[in-house]
mmCIF file of all heavy atoms in Angstrom:
data_model
loop_
_atom_site.group_PDB
_atom_site.id
_atom_site.type_symbol
_atom_site.label_atom_id
_atom_site.label_comp_id
_atom_site.label_asym_id
_atom_site.label_seq_id
_atom_site.Cartn_x
_atom_site.Cartn_y
_atom_site.Cartn_z
ATOM 1 N N SER I 119 -41.377 -27.220 20.071
ATOM 2 C CA SER I 119 -40.355 -28.156 19.741
ATOM 3 C C SER I 119 -39.837 -29.027 20.929
ATOM 4 O O SER I 119 -39.206 -29.994 20.692
ATOM 5 C CB SER I 119 -39.242 -27.461 19.011
ATOM 6 O OG SER I 119 -38.677 -26.504 19.775
ATOM 7 N N GLU I 120 -40.145 -28.416 22.145
ATOM 8 C CA GLU I 120 -39.546 -29.065 23.323
ATOM 9 C C GLU I 120 -40.534 -30.135 23.748
ATOM 10 O O GLU I 120 -41.784 -29.910 23.996
ATOM 11 C CB GLU I 120 -39.349 -28.067 24.378
ATOM 12 C CG GLU I 120 -38.305 -27.039 24.054
ATOM 13 C CD GLU I 120 -36.920 -27.585 23.803
ATOM 14 O OE1 GLU I 120 -36.611 -28.651 24.374
ATOM 15 O OE2 GLU I 120 -36.171 -26.925 23.104
ATOM 16 N N LYS I 121 -39.989 -31.358 24.101
ATOM 17 C CA LYS I 121 -40.797 -32.369 24.753
ATOM 18 C C LYS I 121 -40.710 -32.228 26.359
ATOM 19 O O LYS I 121 -39.621 -32.028 26.852
ATOM 20 C CB LYS I 121 -40.265 -33.810 24.408
ATOM 21 C CG LYS I 121 -41.063 -35.058 24.830
ATOM 22 C CD LYS I 121 -40.597 -36.232 24.309
ATOM 23 C CE LYS I 121 -41.466 -37.448 24.715
ATOM 24 N NZ LYS I 121 -41.093 -38.712 24.066
ATOM 25 N N LEU I 122 -41.817 -32.219 26.915
ATOM 26 C CA LEU I 122 -41.821 -31.917 28.374
ATOM 27 C C LEU I 122 -41.832 -33.156 29.333
ATOM 28 O O LEU I 122 -42.241 -34.229 28.845
ATOM 29 C CB LEU I 122 -42.982 -30.959 28.646
ATOM 30 C CG LEU I 122 -43.142 -29.743 27.776
ATOM 31 C CD1 LEU I 122 -44.279 -28.782 28.338
ATOM 32 C CD2 LEU I 122 -41.833 -29.013 27.594
ATOM 33 N N LEU I 123 -41.603 -32.893 30.462
ATOM 34 C CA LEU I 123 -41.535 -33.997 31.499
ATOM 35 C C LEU I 123 -42.803 -34.817 31.560
ATOM 36 O O LEU I 123 -42.659 -36.042 31.466
ATOM 37 C CB LEU I 123 -41.236 -33.394 32.882
ATOM 38 C CG LEU I 123 -41.421 -34.306 34.063
ATOM 39 C CD1 LEU I 123 -40.427 -35.529 34.048
ATOM 40 C CD2 LEU I 123 -41.134 -33.512 35.418
ATOM 41 N N PRO I 124 -44.014 -34.311 31.547
ATOM 42 C CA PRO I 124 -45.217 -35.024 31.424
ATOM 43 C C PRO I 124 -45.346 -36.009 30.246
ATOM 44 O O PRO I 124 -45.910 -37.050 30.283
ATOM 45 C CB PRO I 124 -46.423 -34.114 31.665
ATOM 46 C CG PRO I 124 -45.746 -32.857 31.196
ATOM 47 C CD PRO I 124 -44.340 -32.875 31.626
ATOM 48 N N GLN I 125 -44.770 -35.437 29.102
ATOM 49 C CA GLN I 125 -44.905 -36.188 27.842
ATOM 50 C C GLN I 125 -43.949 -37.425 27.912
ATOM 51 O O GLN I 125 -44.239 -38.553 27.433
ATOM 52 C CB GLN I 125 -44.563 -35.249 26.663
ATOM 53 C CG GLN I 125 -45.554 -34.193 26.471
ATOM 54 C CD GLN I 125 -45.071 -33.126 25.390
ATOM 55 O OE1 GLN I 125 -44.008 -32.676 25.575
ATOM 56 N NE2 GLN I 125 -45.940 -32.791 24.527
ATOM 57 N N TYR I 126 -42.698 -37.212 28.592
ATOM 58 C CA TYR I 126 -41.851 -38.298 28.788
ATOM 59 C C TYR I 126 -42.438 -39.407 29.674
ATOM 60 O O TYR I 126 -42.387 -40.488 29.339
ATOM 61 C CB TYR I 126 -40.432 -37.902 29.276
ATOM 62 C CG TYR I 126 -39.572 -37.179 28.355
ATOM 63 C CD1 TYR I 126 -39.326 -35.804 28.391
ATOM 64 C CD2 TYR I 126 -38.870 -37.945 27.381
ATOM 65 C CE1 TYR I 126 -38.474 -35.200 27.473
ATOM 66 C CE2 TYR I 126 -37.993 -37.352 26.458
ATOM 67 C CZ TYR I 126 -37.922 -35.938 26.631
ATOM 68 O OH TYR I 126 -37.033 -35.238 25.659
ATOM 69 N N LEU I 127 -43.102 -38.931 30.690
ATOM 70 C CA LEU I 127 -43.716 -39.833 31.583
ATOM 71 C C LEU I 127 -44.909 -40.569 30.951
ATOM 72 O O LEU I 127 -45.161 -41.726 31.256
ATOM 73 C CB LEU I 127 -44.177 -39.138 32.945
ATOM 74 C CG LEU I 127 -43.044 -38.619 33.871
ATOM 75 C CD1 LEU I 127 -43.485 -37.840 34.982
ATOM 76 C CD2 LEU I 127 -42.136 -39.802 34.159
ATOM 77 N N LYS I 128 -45.599 -39.785 30.072
ATOM 78 C CA LYS I 128 -46.690 -40.438 29.395
ATOM 79 C C LYS I 128 -46.354 -41.583 28.561
ATOM 80 O O LYS I 128 -47.032 -42.674 28.515
ATOM 81 C CB LYS I 128 -47.392 -39.412 28.416
ATOM 82 C CG LYS I 128 -48.557 -39.897 27.775
ATOM 83 C CD LYS I 128 -49.815 -40.055 28.512
ATOM 84 C CE LYS I 128 -50.389 -38.697 28.919
ATOM 85 N NZ LYS I 128 -51.625 -38.959 29.635
ATOM 86 N N ASP I 129 -45.044 -41.491 28.049
ATOM 87 C CA ASP I 129 -44.505 -42.667 27.276
ATOM 88 C C ASP I 129 -44.330 -43.859 28.100
ATOM 89 O O ASP I 129 -44.244 -44.967 27.644
ATOM 90 C CB ASP I 129 -43.131 -42.279 26.641
ATOM 91 C CG ASP I 129 -43.287 -41.219 25.569
ATOM 92 O OD1 ASP I 129 -44.355 -40.987 25.086
ATOM 93 O OD2 ASP I 129 -42.251 -40.533 25.216
ATOM 94 N N LEU I 130 -44.164 -43.667 29.486
ATOM 95 C CA LEU I 130 -43.923 -44.808 30.280
ATOM 96 C C LEU I 130 -45.263 -45.199 31.052
ATOM 97 O O LEU I 130 -45.230 -45.980 32.024
ATOM 98 C CB LEU I 130 -42.959 -44.370 31.491
ATOM 99 C CG LEU I 130 -41.577 -43.913 30.991
ATOM 100 C CD1 LEU I 130 -40.740 -43.464 32.252
ATOM 101 C CD2 LEU I 130 -40.879 -45.070 30.335
ATOM 102 N N GLY I 131 -46.377 -44.712 30.579
ATOM 103 C CA GLY I 131 -47.695 -45.137 31.044
ATOM 104 C C GLY I 131 -48.250 -44.245 32.180
ATOM 105 O O GLY I 131 -49.270 -44.732 32.833
ATOM 106 N N TYR I 132 -47.759 -43.111 32.415
ATOM 107 C CA TYR I 132 -48.186 -42.372 33.548
ATOM 108 C C TYR I 132 -49.483 -41.563 33.243
ATOM 109 O O TYR I 132 -49.752 -41.146 32.056
ATOM 110 C CB TYR I 132 -47.150 -41.287 34.020
ATOM 111 C CG TYR I 132 -46.251 -41.910 34.933
ATOM 112 C CD1 TYR I 132 -45.091 -42.773 34.460
ATOM 113 C CD2 TYR I 132 -46.196 -41.460 36.277
ATOM 114 C CE1 TYR I 132 -44.206 -43.277 35.431
ATOM 115 C CE2 TYR I 132 -45.267 -42.000 37.178
ATOM 116 C CZ TYR I 132 -44.226 -42.957 36.694
ATOM 117 O OH TYR I 132 -43.312 -43.409 37.604
ATOM 118 N N SER I 133 -50.334 -41.493 34.327
ATOM 119 C CA SER I 133 -51.448 -40.466 34.289
ATOM 120 C C SER I 133 -50.991 -39.235 34.835
ATOM 121 O O SER I 133 -50.443 -39.155 36.034
ATOM 122 C CB SER I 133 -52.636 -41.076 35.097
ATOM 123 O OG SER I 133 -53.700 -40.177 35.128
ATOM 124 N N ASN I 134 -51.096 -38.131 34.078
ATOM 125 C CA ASN I 134 -50.447 -36.822 34.484
ATOM 126 C C ASN I 134 -51.498 -35.735 34.818
ATOM 127 O O ASN I 134 -52.310 -35.536 33.933
ATOM 128 C CB ASN I 134 -49.596 -36.303 33.302
ATOM 129 C CG ASN I 134 -48.480 -37.345 32.899
ATOM 130 O OD1 ASN I 134 -47.912 -38.020 33.820
ATOM 131 N ND2 ASN I 134 -48.191 -37.522 31.722
ATOM 132 N N HIS I 135 -51.259 -35.098 35.936
ATOM 133 C CA HIS I 135 -52.233 -34.011 36.377
ATOM 134 C C HIS I 135 -51.443 -32.867 36.997
ATOM 135 O O HIS I 135 -50.591 -33.003 37.572
ATOM 136 C CB HIS I 135 -53.270 -34.603 37.354
ATOM 137 C CG HIS I 135 -53.996 -35.850 36.885
ATOM 138 N ND1 HIS I 135 -55.280 -35.674 36.176
ATOM 139 C CD2 HIS I 135 -53.719 -37.116 36.947
ATOM 140 C CE1 HIS I 135 -55.659 -36.911 35.821
ATOM 141 N NE2 HIS I 135 -54.782 -37.824 36.201
ATOM 142 N N ILE I 136 -51.990 -31.677 36.658
ATOM 143 C CA ILE I 136 -51.443 -30.484 37.207
ATOM 144 C C ILE I 136 -52.499 -29.670 37.879
ATOM 145 O O ILE I 136 -53.632 -29.597 37.378
ATOM 146 C CB ILE I 136 -50.767 -29.548 36.182
ATOM 147 C CG1 ILE I 136 -50.382 -28.262 36.701
ATOM 148 C CG2 ILE I 136 -51.531 -29.366 34.868
ATOM 149 C CD1 ILE I 136 -49.597 -27.266 35.787
ATOM 150 N N VAL I 137 -52.351 -29.313 39.155
ATOM 151 C CA VAL I 137 -53.213 -28.343 39.715
ATOM 152 C C VAL I 137 -52.222 -27.075 40.193
ATOM 153 O O VAL I 137 -51.209 -27.270 40.624
ATOM 154 C CB VAL I 137 -53.823 -28.913 41.057
ATOM 155 C CG1 VAL I 137 -54.679 -30.095 40.733
ATOM 156 C CG2 VAL I 137 -52.808 -29.307 42.079
ATOM 157 N N GLY I 138 -52.855 -25.857 39.726
ATOM 158 C CA GLY I 138 -52.101 -24.769 40.163
ATOM 159 C C GLY I 138 -51.610 -23.908 38.852
ATOM 160 O O GLY I 138 -52.150 -23.855 37.815
ATOM 161 N N LYS I 139 -50.333 -23.390 39.133
ATOM 162 C CA LYS I 139 -49.808 -22.316 38.224
ATOM 163 C C LYS I 139 -49.100 -22.970 37.007
ATOM 164 O O LYS I 139 -48.269 -23.900 37.227
ATOM 165 C CB LYS I 139 -48.913 -21.353 39.014
ATOM 166 C CG LYS I 139 -48.097 -20.437 38.098
ATOM 167 C CD LYS I 139 -47.374 -19.409 39.119
ATOM 168 C CE LYS I 139 -46.297 -18.637 38.398
ATOM 169 N NZ LYS I 139 -45.628 -17.687 39.245
ATOM 170 N N TRP I 140 -49.217 -22.389 35.757
ATOM 171 C CA TRP I 140 -48.580 -22.945 34.600
ATOM 172 C C TRP I 140 -47.495 -21.884 34.230
ATOM 173 O O TRP I 140 -46.233 -22.351 34.299
ATOM 174 C CB TRP I 140 -49.578 -23.069 33.416
ATOM 175 C CG TRP I 140 -48.995 -23.546 32.171
ATOM 176 C CD1 TRP I 140 -49.045 -22.943 31.002
ATOM 177 C CD2 TRP I 140 -48.250 -24.825 31.910
ATOM 178 N NE1 TRP I 140 -48.421 -23.591 30.025
ATOM 179 C CE2 TRP I 140 -47.891 -24.740 30.507
ATOM 180 C CE3 TRP I 140 -47.831 -25.764 32.673
ATOM 181 C CZ2 TRP I 140 -47.177 -25.780 29.994
ATOM 182 C CZ3 TRP I 140 -47.047 -26.799 32.071
ATOM 183 C CH2 TRP I 140 -46.725 -26.786 30.781
ATOM 184 N N HIS I 141 -47.778 -20.769 33.712
ATOM 185 C CA HIS I 141 -46.826 -19.735 33.458
ATOM 186 C C HIS I 141 -45.823 -20.009 32.310
ATOM 187 O O HIS I 141 -44.688 -19.510 32.408
ATOM 188 C CB HIS I 141 -46.172 -19.200 34.727
ATOM 189 C CG HIS I 141 -45.770 -17.759 34.679
ATOM 190 N ND1 HIS I 141 -44.901 -17.148 35.569
ATOM 191 C CD2 HIS I 141 -45.974 -16.823 33.814
ATOM 192 C CE1 HIS I 141 -44.717 -15.941 35.250
ATOM 193 N NE2 HIS I 141 -45.305 -15.625 34.108
ATOM 194 N N LEU I 142 -46.241 -20.867 31.402
ATOM 195 C CA LEU I 142 -45.340 -21.286 30.292
ATOM 196 C C LEU I 142 -45.919 -20.968 28.935
ATOM 197 O O LEU I 142 -45.525 -21.588 27.973
ATOM 198 C CB LEU I 142 -44.844 -22.692 30.426
ATOM 199 C CG LEU I 142 -43.966 -22.991 31.634
ATOM 200 C CD1 LEU I 142 -43.633 -24.422 31.779
ATOM 201 C CD2 LEU I 142 -42.609 -22.186 31.462
ATOM 202 N N GLY I 143 -47.029 -20.123 28.970
ATOM 203 C CA GLY I 143 -47.651 -19.736 27.717
ATOM 204 C C GLY I 143 -49.103 -20.169 27.612
ATOM 205 O O GLY I 143 -49.338 -21.293 28.044
ATOM 206 N N HIS I 144 -50.007 -19.278 27.193
ATOM 207 C CA HIS I 144 -51.381 -19.621 27.023
ATOM 208 C C HIS I 144 -52.104 -18.806 25.905
ATOM 209 O O HIS I 144 -53.158 -18.942 25.698
ATOM 210 C CB HIS I 144 -52.129 -19.333 28.307
ATOM 211 C CG HIS I 144 -52.309 -17.858 28.604
ATOM 212 N ND1 HIS I 144 -51.288 -17.207 29.290
ATOM 213 C CD2 HIS I 144 -53.177 -16.903 28.185
ATOM 214 C CE1 HIS I 144 -51.629 -15.838 29.429
ATOM 215 N NE2 HIS I 144 -52.717 -15.705 28.724
#
Side-chain angles (χ1 to χ4, degrees):
S119 56
E120 300 296 335
K121 186 173 182 177
L122 306 191
L123 173 59
Q125 294 170 312
Y126 284 107
L127 294 177
K128 180 74 70 176
D129 293 343
L130 300 178
Y132 274 75
S133 174
N134 302 319
H135 303 271
I136 170 177
V137 296
K139 173 176 169 176
W140 178 237
H141 207 192
L142 291 172
H144 68 268

